[in-house]
Amino acid sequence: MTRETASPQLQAIKVACSNCNLRELCMPVGLEEQQLKRLDEIVAMRRKVKRGGTLFRNGEPFTSLFAIRTGFFKTCVATEDGRDQVTGFQMAGEIIGLDGIVNDHHTCDAVALEDAEVCVMPFDRIEELSREVTALQTHVHKIMSREIVREHGVMLLLGSMRADERLAAFLLNLVQRLHTRGFSQSELVLRMTREEIGSYLGLKLETVSRTFSKFVEDGIVEVKQRHVRIVDTAALKRIVNSQQACH
Amino acid sequence: MTRETASPQLQAIKVACSNCNLRELCMPVGLEEQQLKRLDEIVAMRRKVKRGGTLFRNGEPFTSLFAIRTGFFKTCVATEDGRDQVTGFQMAGEIIGLDGIVNDHHTCDAVALEDAEVCVMPFDRIEELSREVTALQTHVHKIMSREIVREHGVMLLLGSMRADERLAAFLLNLVQRLHTRGFSQSELVLRMTREEIGSYLGLKLETVSRTFSKFVEDGIVEVKQRHVRIVDTAALKRIVNSQQACH
DNA sequence: CGTCAAATTGACAGCACTCAACGCCGGTGG
DNA sequence: CCACCGGCGTTGAGTGCTGTCAATTTGACG
């Protein structure tokens, strides 16, 4: 098992942002030809990460943000005493590594859940260019703000939802993001284990499994290992904001 | 009770960042005289918010970030079905409003827990100036990254800690931030109710109260309403990373 | 002194955790 | 080809932490 590549696989940049099919996901839109060309300067290179390998680790020096081209990542923080928490799952078109900016070193691990490829964007180059290209500056700010808002949502989930509400919200979020990328609205393949889902949702893996089973019993989803088919999206949405309304 | 001022109290800027005693908390450090002067352009005005009043609300258009000069805020998100979650408590020198950048409107409420005054910093002005002053650009990025990292910590807390661990972590964080601002390392006055603490920590107010009582029994803290004296800081730290180590 | 919000405390219940056994599936080696 | 293995997932039984509901106390304020 190659858990990690001692010398990460790098390759010279061949495909430019200007004609990348994921551009509208990770780059600003509505740019003029000239500005678009300049964006190509941002991506220094590509880097491949094998399943199970890490893009970066807690404590490593921060130099670059990464735009995911293909594959699927999780980010997780850990305490000295072995406790750890998945803080997010990232897929193609999403930006990863923002945590490293504040202290010039990363504060979480980014692990590939399937073979992945990322665009390496040196942060000093991003800062330099965003001083000249206003649209890029705005875009960087929005990406960071979006991450803050996303985490607010996770805090709401972790702080005030029951297990079934958490899992329902998780599935809806995942399938919605996949749909944006051209996948089905109702079918998805989970790239993470039950334990990783549980860590993200603040639940134990058994609870995740049980909750899946309950959804199956209720005819809301069909589950076959990591293949999930959402049969009744409306029911999931009802669960998310049910608040277990009593009285 | 003035819950909110229909026309917010505004006042022309008198005191400049360049000689503000909170500057090292909310502004970049190590600037030259000339750049320091330019920072003064950022703060458009001051705004007072009474206890219980809102600085901004979910849905309101976003125009500015706010630097807290005096007072104490909470930010909270809510769902349609009445569930809500305190996402953070902010004190003097901290920046508030970052959530609004991504969609040009705020996605949470900012409520003053005591009479407060903030510096209003129009975001377009921040963006404009940070294109010219590199230190400001970097600073803005670091502030947003810091917020992301902070929220990672909250997610870890909400996702994997027991009630006493959460409260211990909360107290230590609060007293540490107050200490940075020149207050005691061991004494603090809570500006928020048990319910607000509970909302932040993902607990019910009764659990917060009970956990306080347990700490008092164990001789770790002294509590008299909102006055808290930390008697045994080491014990609190032990609780935070106890992980309830078994075996 | 009366009022009301906030906080405390008790009794009880329930949801999620713990511990454990078992099943499924892909990989590996004989 | 098949048996074995290990990781992952499911399910069951029992426990306990935290939530729920309710009564009471405290303290601030008019």
Side-chain angles (χ1 to χ4, degrees), chain B residues 1 161-164 202-204 206-208 210 224-225:
Chain B
M1 286 292 167
M161 289 187 178
R162 287 173 304 105
D164 56 344
L203 302 170
K204 292 294 159 186
E206 294 94 332
T207 304
V208 174
R210 264 185 258 272
K224 192 173 179 100
Q225 297 293 117

Side-chain angles (χ1 to χ4, degrees), chain A residues 186-197:
Chain A
S186 59
E187 265 177 279
L188 67 159
V189 177
L190 301 173
R191 300 302 178 183
M192 68 294 283
T193 66
R194 301 290 190 264
E195 184 169 20
E196 286 161 338
I197 296 173

Side-chain angles (χ1 to χ4, degrees), chain B residues 84-102:
Chain B
D84 81 323
Q85 169 79 24
V86 172
T87 55
F89 297 107
Q90 295 83 17
M91 57 182 72
E94 296 180 330
I95 306 296
I96 199 171
L98 298 171
D99 61 283
I101 297 171
V102 61

Side-chain angles (χ1 to χ4, degrees), chain A residues 188-189 194 212 216 221-229:
Chain A
L188 67 159
V189 177
R194 301 290 190 264
F212 265 124
V216 171
V221 301
E222 292 169 9
V223 177
K224 192 172 178 99
Q225 299 294 117
R226 302 202 177 174
H227 294 260
V228 176
R229 216 173 91 78

Side-chain angles (χ1 to χ4, degrees), chain B residues 62-236:
Chain B
F62 165 79
T63 60
S64 307
L65 297 180
F66 305 95
I68 303 176
R69 256 191 73 73
T70 63
F72 203 94
F73 285 87
K74 69 169 178 180
T75 48
C76 47
V77 294
T79 54
E80 314 80 59
D81 55 315
R83 199 162 6 205
D84 81 323
Q85 169 79 24
V86 172
T87 55
F89 297 107
Q90 295 83 17
M91 57 182 72
E94 296 180 330
I95 306 296
I96 199 171
L98 298 171
D99 61 283
I101 297 171
V102 61
N103 293 128
D104 291 316
H105 64 76
H106 288 285
T107 57
C108 65
D109 298 345
V111 180
L113 297 180
E114 60 181 7
D115 291 358
E117 187 178 21
V118 301
C119 299
V120 180
M121 306 182 292
F123 192 62
D124 50 8
R125 202 176 291 185
I126 291 177
E127 288 197 321
E128 191 180 343
L129 199 56
S130 71
R131 267 176 253 133
E132 300 170 22
V133 181
T134 308
L136 178 61
Q137 180 193 35
T138 299
H139 191 66
V140 170
H141 291 157
K142 283 185 188 295
I143 283 174
M144 300 187 78
S145 177
R146 180 179 301 127
E147 177 65 8
I148 289 170
V149 171
R150 182 192 71 83
E151 292 183 2
H152 283 175
V154 178
M155 288 168 65
L156 178 65
L157 180 147
L158 291 172
S160 71
M161 289 187 178
R162 287 173 304 105
D164 56 344
E165 299 171 332
R166 297 184 196 193
L167 188 62
F170 170 73
L171 288 175
L172 287 173
N173 174 270
L174 214 52
V175 81
Q176 184 264 315
R177 283 154 67 201
L178 287 167
H179 184 55
T180 302
R181 286 156 182 79
F183 292 96
S184 166
Q185 285 193 64
S186 59
E187 266 177 279
L188 67 159
V189 177
L190 301 173
R191 300 301 177 183
M192 69 295 282
T193 67
R194 300 289 190 263
E195 184 169 19
E196 287 162 336
I197 296 173
S199 174
Y200 180 61
L201 299 179
L203 302 170
K204 292 294 159 186
L205 68 93
E206 294 94 332
T207 304
V208 174
S209 181
R210 264 185 258 272
T211 308
F212 266 124
S213 299
K214 191 168 79 69
F215 285 174
V216 172
E217 274 179 49
D218 297 350
I220 298 172
V221 300
E222 291 169 9
V223 178
K224 192 173 179 100
Q225 297 293 117
R226 299 200 179 179
H227 294 260
V228 176
R229 214 173 92 77
I230 298 176
V231 179
D232 191 347
T233 304
L236 279 184

Side-chain angles (χ1 to χ4, degrees), chain A residues 138-155:
Chain A
T138 300
H139 190 67
V140 170
H141 291 156
K142 283 186 189 293
I143 283 176
M144 300 188 79
S145 177
R146 178 179 303 127
E147 178 65 8
I148 290 170
V149 171
R150 181 191 73 83
E151 293 183 0
H152 283 176
V154 178
M155 288 168 66

Side-chain angles (χ1 to χ4, degrees), chain A:
Chain A
M1 284 291 170
T2 48
R3 300 297 298 177
E4 189 167 5
T5 45
S7 59
Q9 294 189 39
L10 308 175
Q11 66 178 50
I13 168 73
K14 296 191 193 71
V15 186
C17 293
S18 49
N19 55 0
C20 173
N21 59 338
L22 292 170
R23 178 160 49 84
E24 65 274 10
L25 283 175
C26 62
M27 283 296 176
V29 296
L31 287 185
E32 296 169 15
E33 185 66 24
Q34 189 185 2
Q35 294 179 317
L36 205 54
K37 274 259 165 59
R38 303 215 51 189
L39 285 191
D40 293 342
E41 301 168 21
I42 290 182
V43 176
M45 55 173 141
R46 294 279 173 70
R47 181 172 155 194
K48 287 180 188 296
V49 184
K50 283 227 167 303
R51 178 162 176 275
T54 58
L55 182 56
F56 54 80
R57 264 183 212 278
N58 180 16
E60 287 180 6
F62 165 79
T63 60
S64 307
L65 297 180
F66 304 95
I68 302 177
R69 258 191 71 74
T70 62
F72 203 93
F73 284 86
K74 69 169 178 180
T75 49
C76 46
V77 294
T79 55
E80 314 80 57
D81 55 314
R83 202 169 357 213
D84 79 323
Q85 169 78 26
V86 172
T87 56
F89 297 107
Q90 295 82 18
M91 57 181 73
E94 296 180 330
I95 307 295
I96 199 171
L98 298 170
D99 61 281
I101 297 172
V102 62
N103 292 127
D104 292 318
H105 65 75
H106 288 286
T107 58
C108 65
D109 298 344
V111 179
L113 297 180
E114 58 182 10
D115 290 358
E117 187 178 21
V118 300
C119 299
V120 180
M121 307 182 291
F123 192 61
D124 50 8
R125 202 177 290 185
I126 291 177
E127 288 196 320
E128 192 180 343
L129 199 55
S130 71
R131 267 176 251 134
E132 300 169 25
V133 182
T134 309
L136 178 61
Q137 180 193 35
T138 300
H139 190 67
V140 170
H141 291 156
K142 283 186 189 293
I143 283 176
M144 300 188 79
S145 177
R146 178 179 303 127
E147 178 65 8
I148 290 170
V149 171
R150 181 191 73 83
E151 293 183 0
H152 283 176
V154 178
M155 288 168 66
L156 178 65
L157 179 145
L158 291 173
S160 70
M161 290 187 178
R162 286 174 304 103
D164 55 344
E165 299 170 332
R166 297 184 196 192
L167 188 61
F170 170 73
L171 288 175
L172 288 172
N173 173 270
L174 214 52
V175 81
Q176 184 262 316
R177 283 156 66 200
L178 287 168
H179 185 55
T180 302
R181 286 157 180 79
F183 294 95
S184 166
Q185 285 194 64
S186 59
E187 265 177 279
L188 67 159
V189 177
L190 301 173
R191 300 302 178 183
M192 68 294 283
T193 66
R194 301 290 190 264
E195 184 169 20
E196 286 161 338
I197 296 173
S199 173
Y200 181 61
L201 298 178
L203 302 169
K204 292 295 159 187
L205 68 93
E206 295 94 332
T207 305
V208 173
S209 181
R210 266 185 257 271
T211 308
F212 265 124
S213 299
K214 192 168 79 67
F215 286 174
V216 171
E217 273 179 48
D218 298 349
I220 299 172
V221 301
E222 292 169 9
V223 177
K224 192 172 178 99
Q225 299 294 117
R226 302 202 177 174
H227 294 260
V228 176
R229 216 173 91 78
I230 298 177
V231 178
D232 191 346
T233 304
L236 278 184
K237 288 180 180 169
R238 255 181 277 123
I239 288 174
V240 171
N241 25 16
S242 67
Q243 173 76 310
Q244 204 64 358
C246 39
H247 302 305

